[in-house]
């Protein structure tokens, strides 16, 4: 059992899509989980289906959705970092690492979940992952929490090798799905399309759903 898990990701819904299963397993086991969320995803293009958000209302809506998702995953400690969506890559990397280092010093996590820098597709994902690695690297080896990274590039296994952590999330699959659905503005269209596709291609959807039984991570290896 972990002492404390710190999740550091840039957007509302990254936690649910990316590591919602792992989070639910930790919280269900009684491990405290803190989510440090970089932005409110205010530049997202999805406005609900049918539309119920506007560019002006989206930040508040996404914050509410994020809090609902945290409730679904039993995350009791949500830290909103107040960065601007789609500009995290332009933040001063040292100052961003300073903020994450402060979380680590305060919470003393034994495990951190974040994106693998360079393998996270979106610039915000890569920047937040890089800042997290930079923050952890400042600690002496013996005091560093383990860092499990999510990698989503097509060539991830060619570059990084196979993931060394595979977690069976079948027991909390519905909990993860409920967290994803809590992000209504971003996922209602996705689930509507999903239901339509089920009617046309049930075998394909069955295979896709089977993929939702596990999560994989790469343990970050620090150079020194």
């Amino acid at each position: 059992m972990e002492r404390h898990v710190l999740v550091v990701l840039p957007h509302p819904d990254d936690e649910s899509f990316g590591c919602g299963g792992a989070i639910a397993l930790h919280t269900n086991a009684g491990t405290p989980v803190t989510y440090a969320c970089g932005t409110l995803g205010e530049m997202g293009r999805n406005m609900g289906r049918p539309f119920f958000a506007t560019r002006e209302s989206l930040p508040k809506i996404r914050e509410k959705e994020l809090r609902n998702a945290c409730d679904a995953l039993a995350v009791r400690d949500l830290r909103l970092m107040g960065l601007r969506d789609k500009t995290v890559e332009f933040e001063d990397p040292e100052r961003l690492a300073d903020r994450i280092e402060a979380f680590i010093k305060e919470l003393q996590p034994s495990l951190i979940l974040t994106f693998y820098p360079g393998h996270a597709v979106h610039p915000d994902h890569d920047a937040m992952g890089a800042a997290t690695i930079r923050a952890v690297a400042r600690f002496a080896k013996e005091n560093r929490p383990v860092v499990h990274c999510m990698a989503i590039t097509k060539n991830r296994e060619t570059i990084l090798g196979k993931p060394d952590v595979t977690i069976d999330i079948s027991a909390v699959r519905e909990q993860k799905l409920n967290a994803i659905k809590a992000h209504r503005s971003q996922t209602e269209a996705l689930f509507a399309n999903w239901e339509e596709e089920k009617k046309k291609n049930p075998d394909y959807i069955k295979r896709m759903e089977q993929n939702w039984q596990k999560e994989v991570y790469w343990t970050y290896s620090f150079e020194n």
Side-chain angles (χ1 to χ4, degrees):
M1 181 174 168
E2 299 292 342
R3 180 176 59 246
H4 196 125
V5 177
L6 172 62
V7 181
V8 186
L9 300 167
H11 307 121
D13 76 18
D14 288 338
E15 80 298 329
S16 298
F17 277 109
C19 50
I23 291 172
L25 287 170
H26 286 301
T27 57
N28 291 353
T31 302
V33 174
T34 296
Y35 180 23
C37 184
T39 78
L40 289 177
E42 65 271 20
M43 296 303 291
R45 294 178 60 82
N46 293 326
M47 298 290 171
R49 180 175 168 177
F51 297 145
F52 61 85
T54 65
R55 180 62 61 207
E56 289 71 28
S57 66
L58 191 60
K60 285 187 177 179
I61 288 172
R62 295 207 67 183
E63 180 180 344
K64 180 68 166 57
E65 291 172 346
L66 174 59
R67 293 187 184 281
N68 290 342
C70 285
D71 285 344
L73 296 172
V75 173
R76 306 303 179 209
D77 186 16
L78 171 64
R79 311 289 178 99
L80 300 177
M81 296 180 68
L83 304 174
R84 184 166 179 77
D85 188 22
K86 294 192 175 179
T87 65
V88 179
E89 63 180 307
F90 303 114
E91 293 286 331
D92 181 288
E94 293 293 340
R95 293 182 66 180
L96 185 52
D98 288 346
R99 298 184 63 185
I100 298 167
E101 180 184 357
F103 289 139
I104 298 170
K105 287 179 175 175
E106 174 196 345
L107 301 167
Q108 297 289 306
S110 53
L111 176 66
I112 293 178
L113 303 178
T114 191
F115 282 115
Y116 205 114
H119 288 276
V121 177
H122 190 295
D124 283 357
H125 295 175
D126 283 323
M128 192 63 84
T132 303
I133 296 302
R134 185 184 295 266
V136 176
R138 293 173 177 175
F139 291 79
K141 271 184 183 178
E142 60 273 20
N143 296 327
R144 285 176 191 156
V146 173
V147 182
H148 286 173
C149 295
M150 297 177 286
I152 51 179
T153 48
K154 289 181 179 177
N155 66 346
R156 57 193 181 279
E157 292 194 5
T158 302
I159 305 298
L160 303 174
K162 295 282 186 183
D164 62 315
V165 177
T166 299
I167 301 175
D168 179 355
I169 63 163
S170 53
V172 294
R173 179 177 176 274
E174 289 304 313
Q175 205 172 341
K176 173 168 178 159
L177 281 173
N178 288 337
I180 292 172
K181 288 177 180 176
H183 295 283
R184 287 186 54 211
S185 64
Q186 307 302 299
T187 63
E188 281 188 340
L190 170 72
F191 283 102
N193 293 338
W194 189 270
E195 292 302 319
E196 286 298 314
E197 194 63 30
K198 263 186 181 178
K199 298 172 189 170
K200 293 185 288 186
N201 195 347
D203 290 340
Y204 171 75
I205 292 298
K206 190 174 181 180
R207 288 197 301 275
M208 290 292 291
E209 289 180 340
Q210 285 173 346
N211 289 335
W212 287 44
Q213 305 292 328
K214 66 178 182 180
E215 289 175 355
V216 298
Y217 300 88
W218 284 255
T219 303
Y220 194 86
S221 180
F222 291 86
E223 291 183 359
N224 52 51

